[in-house]
Amino acid sequence: MKAKLATFVVMLGFWVVLSGMFDAFHLSLGVISCLLVANFSHNLVFYHGSPATWFKGVVGVAAYLPWLFYQIILANLEVAWVVLHPRMLSKIDPHLIRFNTSLKAPISRVTFAQSITLTPGTITVNVDEDEFLVYALTRNAGEALPGEMEKRIARAMEGSA
């Protein structure tokens, strides 16, 4: 119950700050929306494991995020180079890549799928258990999968190398 209440308070706080709507109609819609979100997602927001596991996960994610941001910048530059190249159509080589992941935890797979989609030039099309289907704009973007990103997520979120 505490997790639901805390989730509701956090969500409502964000909603009020981001919406800027303070009339009765909008506030009531915000309260209703936040109640629904809190009811369905309180387990996602607050961790229920041991403090040591939680701390290890936070440190792992904190170490992973700078690397992900760097990869996003590199992919942005590559996509910009392809788009601005005089022979753009010869540089674009769209294809679908199907591969299996070794990630076991659902949150690790979701993080992997979202990290792929956040990286320009690639989009996670489908995830079915341990099989990923990814669209890649260029051959170079597709060759890196699953690769280093999967290893870093495994190290950060599952404690394996």
Side-chain angles (χ1 to χ4, degrees), residues 17-103:
V17 168
L18 295 177
S19 74
M21 302 287 190
F22 303 108
D23 59 283
F25 175 74
H26 287 100
L27 281 175
S28 62
L29 286 179
V31 168
I32 292 168
S33 298
C34 292
L35 281 172
L36 289 171
V37 169
N39 188 47
F40 293 120
S41 67
H42 66 277
N43 289 335
L44 298 173
V45 178
F46 294 99
Y47 184 73
H48 297 288
S50 71
T53 306
W54 178 82
F55 181 73
K56 184 178 178 184
V58 168
V59 169
V61 170
Y64 171 69
L65 288 178
W67 180 85
L68 176 63
F69 293 147
Y70 177 69
Q71 295 304 310
I72 290 171
I73 290 169
L74 291 179
N76 268 302
L77 293 173
E78 181 181 352
V79 169
W81 180 81
V82 167
V83 170
L84 297 173
H85 197 280
R87 293 187 319 248
M88 174 181 67
L89 294 178
S90 67
K91 299 294 180 190
I92 295 175
D93 184 16
H95 54 285
L96 291 171
I97 303 159
R98 189 178 305 271
F99 62 89
N100 290 327
T101 182
S102 61
L103 298 171

